[in-house]
Amino acid sequence: EDKLFDRKVILDGIPGAAFHDGGRIVFGPDGNLYITTGDAGKPNLAQDINSLAGKILRISDEGKIPQDNPFSNAVYSFGHRNSQGLAWDDKGRLWATEHGSSALDELNFIEKGANYGWPVIRGNEERAGMKTPKVNSDPKETWAPAGAVYFKKRIFFTGLRGESLYEAKISDGGGVEYVKAHLRGTFGRLRAIALGSDGKFYLSTSNTDGRGTQRTGDDKIIKINPEVFFSN
């Protein structure tokens, strides 16, 4: 009868704040649930493997810890500032978008147990034992990347402040050949993206969140045939 019932908490203790809360939840090809969390405004928590902040988490749908998780807790990878999108490519590799600091937004290739550096390194900086993103935005350009999907050897991810749908071409070796922007400014802030069973992209706008400019009919869900991005 259009009601929600049998509410059950499967994981708690995730630090929260006004900003930097991650929030993407996606079932992976292994059947486990992957969850992005932000640093909750306390950057050092991202480096603490005993904290659930600034992480990508991995649990079962009942909240159980998979036996092969790297730290015997819910943490799958760490050192994240504010990951917002998760997508697996056709080789089963996990990719994640992440909000950078002073621009330098990131697209990361996620490996189990790896440290992605925040707040020690950012952008294309390097440090032993830490992962540098496959690509990051220019210091003068903010993507504020959110949701992500994989489609035809590309990661398509939405941009909030960037107000665009971004296309990152993935090479066979796991690199990023280029990033290009589509729909820039057409719908305003774009947050979530999903690939429907009909082969179409479904995107949500985020113009009434207090950070955007509200447009007539906002907020909306936009349906787009992704083949239009391959017409040129």
Side-chain angles (χ1 to χ4, degrees):
E1 298 179 352
D2 296 326
K3 296 178 181 179
L4 299 175
F5 58 95
D6 288 348
R7 177 180 182 270
K8 178 182 179 180
V9 176
I10 63 171
L11 182 67
D12 59 9
I14 300 173
F19 305 107
H20 296 190
D21 293 308
R24 193 69 57 222
I25 54 174
V26 185
F27 281 102
D30 59 1
N32 287 308
L33 184 64
Y34 290 73
I35 305 162
T36 70
T37 69
D39 67 11
K42 297 179 179 179
N44 289 336
L45 292 180
Q47 288 295 316
D48 181 356
I49 60 172
N50 295 308
S51 169
L52 299 184
K55 309 294 188 297
I56 293 176
L57 309 178
R58 177 185 185 234
I59 58 175
S60 76
D61 60 353
E62 292 291 328
K64 296 180 180 179
I65 306 301
Q67 290 186 351
D68 62 339
N69 270 16
F71 307 111
S72 300
N73 59 11
V75 175
Y76 187 77
S77 64
F78 66 107
H80 299 288
R81 183 173 185 260
N82 193 24
S83 290
Q84 294 254 328
L86 298 172
W88 285 262
D89 63 21
D90 57 359
K91 293 179 171 31
R93 300 174 298 195
L94 175 58
W95 298 80
T97 63
E98 183 166 339
H99 287 204
S101 173
S102 300
L104 298 176
D105 297 310
E106 301 178 355
L107 178 61
N108 285 299
F109 169 55
I110 303 300
E111 298 177 63
K112 182 172 65 176
N115 180 357
Y116 289 83
W118 176 253
V120 182
I121 60 172
R122 60 193 185 97
N124 58 8
E125 295 175 346
E126 297 180 353
R127 178 73 66 90
M130 296 181 178
K131 297 291 184 180
T132 297
K134 291 297 184 180
V135 68
N136 58 265
S137 66
D138 186 271
K140 297 180 180 179
E141 180 183 7
T142 299
W143 297 337
V149 296
Y150 177 77
F151 185 80
K152 290 189 173 181
K153 298 188 180 299
R154 292 154 172 83
I155 303 291
F156 284 88
F157 61 92
T158 53
L160 292 163
R161 187 171 177 181
E163 296 193 351
S164 302
L165 176 64
Y166 296 96
E167 172 193 341
K169 175 70 180 300
I170 306 301
S171 68
D172 290 339
V176 175
E177 296 182 11
Y178 61 77
V179 176
K180 64 171 66 173
H182 303 285
L183 308 175
R184 191 183 294 276
T186 303
F187 301 109
R189 291 163 59 81
L190 297 176
R191 186 172 294 276
I193 180 170
L195 178 62
S197 57
D198 58 0
K200 304 299 191 296
F201 283 169
Y202 291 81
L203 302 89
S204 68
T205 67
S206 193
N207 295 321
T208 61
D209 62 359
R211 291 188 161 190
T213 300
Q214 187 168 344
R215 304 170 185 219
T216 301
D218 274 338
D219 272 317
K220 308 178 183 75
I221 294 177
I222 310 298
K223 179 181 178 181
I224 295 176
N225 185 344
E227 297 297 339
V228 302
F229 304 123
F230 297 84
S231 59
N232 295 326

